[in-house]
Amino acid sequence: MKRYDPQAIEDKWQAVWDETKLYAASDSDPREKYYYLVEFPYPSGDGLHVGHVRSYTALDIMARHKRMQGFNVLYPMGFDEFGLPTENYAIKHKIAPQAATAANVTTFTRQLKEIGFSFDWDRQVHTSDPSYYRWTQWIFLQLLQAGLAYQDEISINWCPFEKTGLANEEVVDGKHERCGTPVEKRFLKQWLLKITAYADRLIDDLKTVDYLDRISSQQINWIGRSHGAEITFKLRNVEGETDDRIAVGVYTTRPDTIFGATFLVVSPEVVKTWIDAGWKASDEVQNYVTNAMNKAELERQEEKVKTGVDTSIKALNPISGEEIPVWVADYVLGSYGTGAIMAVPAHDERDFEFAAKYKLPIVRVIDGGELPYSGPGKLVNSGDYDGLEGDPARHQIIEDLVAKDAGQGATKYKLRDWVFSRQHYWGEPIPIIHCPKCGVVPVPVNQLPVELPLVESYEPTDTGESPLAAMTDWVNVLCPKCESPAKRETDTMPNWAGSSWYYLRYADAHNDRAFADPEKLKQWTPVDLYNGGMEHTTLHLLYSRFWHKFLFDQGLVPTAEPYAARRSHGMILGPDGAKMSKSKGNVINPDAVIVKYGADSLRLYEMFMGPFDETTAWSDEHLSGVNRFLYRVWTLAQVLMSEGDRTVDPQAEVIQSEIFATEVDRATHKTLKKVHEDITAMHFNTAVSALMEYINFLNEPKRRASFVLAANRDLADRTIRSLVLMLAPFTPHIAEEIWQDLGEPESVHIQGWPKYDPELIKEDLVTIVVQVNGKLRANLVAPIEATEAELTDLAKADERVAKYLADGEIVKTVVVPRKLVNFVVKTS
RNA sequence: GGGCGGGUGGUGGAAUGGUAUACACGGAGGACUUAAAAUUCUCUGCCGCAAGGAUUGUGGGUUCGACUCCCACCCCGCCUACCA
C-alpha cells in the first residue's frame, strides 16, 4: 500500500502548479470575477509568521472554493518592501537595503510556495521596485496638484532612536510603536496629506461596505467626529482693554452648559502664538508655557495632577454677559478643537478637578446627579434658558450665538493630517524640487521615477535630514521650471505609501503607461474580500481608503471604496499563551512545522485551531491531531480505491445492501452542504470538524470492510471523489495526489465543486426529545411526518416518560414537530 | 474614563430558543511489539456504587423550555484615551 509522504507530494505538486500557472487569473475570462486580497507581507528577516499563514490559508480556501464554483478568481501576492527594520538591518550588517530586501523576498517566496497557496505569482507587486514606486510618486503629485499635499513647519513626533518623524498612528503610549523609544517633540518642515478633508466620507461611506463591526467602529472612533459649537469669548488684557494679539474661540460639545462656564482654559500652544504675536505675558505665564512646550508627549501624559496659571486676561461670556478669568493649562491640548475650552467645572470631571485645586467657582447649570455631573438634564441657573432640555437648549443657544455673531455650530475631529515625511533612506523619494526662485516644484511626470540613489551610508542623521541630503550629486539639480540651481527634496515617504494602492496594481501589474489600465480596474475592482490584522485598522486600512477616495474623485478608479468587505483574523499566541516574540523564545516557525508534519497539516491545523477571528494559542499537540487525521484520510483513500482485491475479508462483518449506499450518500451530501456553507461563512474550524466526522463515519470497521465488496465498487468510487473534492481547498496537496491516483489527468483544483442534493439529505426518521417540565426524560425515533397527536401518543406510551406522568396532571403539552414533546405536569 | 470583543470539561472549542459539552487534544485501560514509538480498540465533563442529581462567570427576569433573549453585577482580552 502506498504510504503518505507529505513532503514528497507537496514538493512535487508545488512544482507542477508553478510550471502550469494553474492559479493565474485571466483578464479576458468572461466568467464572473472574484477578487480576494490578503495583506501583502513586509519581508522582514524573521521570515513568514504563522499569523500570515492563518490569514493566507483562510482566503486560499475561499479562493479555491470559488474557483471550483466556476468564478474567475484573482488571489494575488506581493511584498511591502520599504521600511525601517530593513534599513536598520542594512546599517548593522553594512549591506544595501536593496540586497537585504531581495534576500528576504526570496525567503518569503520560498515559504509561501511551500505552503501551497494558490496565488497568481505573475502579478507580483514589489513596492521598492522603481517601476512600482514610480506610480506611488505619481499619485503623490496628483495629491499635490489637488492641494491635498502640503508642507508645514510643525511640531512632530520624533523618534530619537530611529531618528525620524512619525505619524500619530505610529505613536502608542507616547512611544514609537515599532521600537518602543519614548517619542520626543521636534519642529520640522514636513509634508502632510490632508486626510482630514475626507474625514466625513471615511465615516459615512462605511455604511456602503461590509466590514466587521469592530473594524468600522474602531475607524469611526479614531476619526472621532463630534458635534458642538465654536464660541467666541471677547478677551480683555490686564488693563481691561481689547488686544488684537489675543483672541480665542472655544470648542464645546455642551453649549447648553454655557452659564456654568466659570473660567476659560487655553492651551500653552495657543498662548505661545499670542506671545509670538507680541502679547506681553507675565513671567509666570511665560515660564509655564515654555516649560509645557518642552515636555515630551509622554511626560505630559504621565502627569496626574493638573497644573495651570492665571493669565490675568478676562473673557466675556457672550450669552450670560459674565466676565470670567482666562487660565493657561496643559490639560487642554493645542491640537484638538480650537486649543481652548470654556471650563464648566460643575459638569466636567477635568474642569471640576482643576477648579477645586485653584479654588475657582463651580456653578450647577444642569439638573441631575452629584457634581461633577455630565449626564443629560434640564437647564437651571441659566437665565431665560431655565427649564429647557439639553437638545432644544443647545439649538437655542447656538441660534442666539449666531445672532450675536459670537459663534456657530461646529464639527470637530480627532483625526489629524497624515505626516508624510520620513528622514530616512529606505523609502520612496518624495518627487519634489525646491527652487530658490520658484519654490516647490513637482518633478515632471516624464522624469518619474525619482530613483533612490545608491549611497555609502544609510545611517540616519541627527539633523533632521535624511541621508540622501549628503548625496550632493543627486540633490543638486536644475529647476525644471526656470533651470536655475535647485535641490531635491531629501525626505522619503512613510512605509504606508506603497501599501495604500497596491491592490489596484494587481489588476494590471506590468503597466508602464499608467498605474493601471481603467478597463482592467473595471474588470477586477473593487476587492470583494480583504482580510488583514486588526492592527492596521487605523493605519493602512484608513490610509488606503483615503487614497482610493482621492483617486475616485480624480476619475481614476471606478469605485468609491476599495474593499467591498473587510475581515480580520485573530492573533496566534505562543504555546505559553503570550504574544509571540523573539525575546520570549515562543515563536513558531512555519518551516519547522512543514518539515515535521507537512504543509497540509499546517494549513488544516491553523483552520481547526478555533474561530478564524478569535485569538488562540498555538499547540503542537493539537497540531499532531490534525496530522493524524490526514493519515487516516490517506489510508481510507487507499481502501476506497483498492481495485484488484475487492473480495470480502471472511472475518469482517459487512453491510451489503441499498441501505448502506443510502446511508453513505446521505452522509456525503450532508458534509458537502456543511463544508460549503462553513467556507462561505468563514467558519473553517467547524468545516474541518464536519470533515473529521465524515471520515470517522466512513472509517467505522463495518463500513470500511463493506466498501471493499465488489457490489459497492461504484459507491466507493463516488465517495472518494466527493471526499477529495471537499478536501481540495483545505489540503490541496494530498487532494491532488489522491485525485491523480484515481486516474484523473487534470488537476483537482480546476474541477467543479460538488453540489449537494437536497433530496438525498432528507431524513425519513427523526429523533424526538421528550421532556417533562422541561427536563429530558426520553428520546424516541419517529417518522418525520408524524402529527402532533401521534407524537403525543408515542411520548405518553414511553415507559420512561409514563413514570413521570403517573402522579400528576398534564396541564399543557408543547409539541414541536420533528423536534420535541414537552409535558407540563402539575403534581397535586 | 470611553469603545469593541469574550467568559461553556483538565485543554482548544461545538451548539444563536428545543438532547449542553460535537470535533480535536490530553488522560486511563486493552491489542500489536523482545521493548519503545507509531498504529488500533474501549472508556473519559462534575457529584454519586447506582438510581439519580446539579451544571455554560454571578444574581434576577421573560418562556412550556435559556449557553442562546432582557436587566444588573463580576472577571478577562484588545483598541483608545486630559479629544472638552
Side-chain angles (χ1 to χ4, degrees), chain A residues 21 73 93 158 188 302 329 445 459 535 652 737 745 792:
Chain A
K21 296 188 187 296
V73 171
H93 296 88
W158 174 266
L188 277 178
E302 273 171 355
V445 166
E459 298 270 0
E535 68 275 21
E737 181 72 14
T792 309

Side-chain angles (χ1 to χ4, degrees), chain A residues 201-470:
Chain A
R201 284 163 69 191
L202 287 170
I203 291 178
D204 299 340
D205 289 0
L206 285 170
K207 290 193 198 89
T208 68
V209 291
D210 167 25
Y211 284 17
L212 229 50
D213 283 347
R214 59 189 160 130
I215 297 174
S216 301
S217 69
Q218 208 168 300
Q219 290 209 342
I220 291 168
N221 252 309
W222 183 262
I223 296 168
R225 178 164 63 188
S226 69
H227 301 288
E230 223 175 288
I231 306 174
T232 312
F233 283 69
K234 284 210 175 99
L235 303 189
R236 292 180 194 280
N237 63 17
V238 197
E239 291 78 34
E241 292 155 0
T242 49
D243 185 334
D244 290 344
R245 289 165 299 196
I246 52 170
V248 76
V250 301
Y251 175 67
T252 179
T253 54
R254 294 293 303 271
D256 52 326
T257 63
I258 192 161
F259 279 81
T262 52
F263 57 103
L264 241 56
V265 187
V266 182
S267 63
E269 285 83 354
V270 168
V271 174
K272 177 156 192 302
T273 64
W274 294 351
I275 294 171
D276 289 349
W279 173 69
K280 188 85 185 75
S282 70
D283 289 351
E284 204 188 352
V285 171
Q286 185 77 256
N287 287 342
Y288 185 82
V289 170
T290 316
N291 229 319
M293 301 290 287
N294 285 340
K295 271 183 217 163
E297 285 287 316
L298 193 59
E299 285 177 75
R300 225 164 122 169
Q301 274 176 24
E302 273 171 355
E303 273 161 18
K304 297 276 185 281
V305 185
K306 293 181 174 35
T307 59
V309 175
D310 189 347
T311 63
S312 305
I313 298 172
K314 300 289 181 220
L316 192 68
N317 186 323
I319 295 288
S320 71
E322 202 184 345
E323 198 172 69
I324 55 173
V326 177
W327 286 62
V328 56
D330 67 1
Y331 82 89
V332 171
L333 306 175
S335 51
Y336 180 74
T338 59
I341 60 156
M342 60 174 208
V344 184
H347 305 291
D348 182 283
E349 218 176 300
R350 295 153 300 178
D351 298 345
F352 185 86
E353 194 190 317
F354 193 80
K357 182 174 171 189
Y358 292 103
K359 308 265 186 298
L360 291 157
I362 298 168
V363 178
R364 174 191 282 276
V365 291
I366 302 289
D367 201 23
E370 201 187 321
L371 299 185
Y373 171 73
S374 54
K378 281 187 178 147
L379 269 63
V380 293
N381 292 327
S382 297
D384 294 347
Y385 302 93
D386 278 358
L388 285 177
E389 290 284 349
D391 262 337
R394 282 190 278 274
H395 286 124
Q396 189 56 52
I397 287 170
I398 290 173
E399 219 170 273
D400 294 348
L401 283 167
V402 171
K404 292 181 177 182
D405 198 22
Q408 69 273 317
T411 300
K412 299 284 175 194
Y413 306 87
K414 290 189 208 172
L415 183 73
R416 326 250 169 100
D417 278 342
W418 175 9
V419 179
F420 202 66
S421 295
R422 295 295 182 277
Q423 293 70 43
H424 271 272
Y425 173 76
W426 192 229
E428 300 89 345
I430 294 177
I432 290 293
I433 290 164
H434 297 280
C435 171
K437 285 187 193 154
C438 314
V440 168
V441 180
V443 172
V445 166
N446 61 12
Q447 287 173 32
L448 295 182
V450 176
E451 284 200 46
L452 259 183
L454 291 170
V455 299
E456 273 171 33
S457 164
Y458 310 103
E459 298 270 0
T461 64
D462 229 344
T463 62
E465 278 188 312
S466 108
L468 291 173

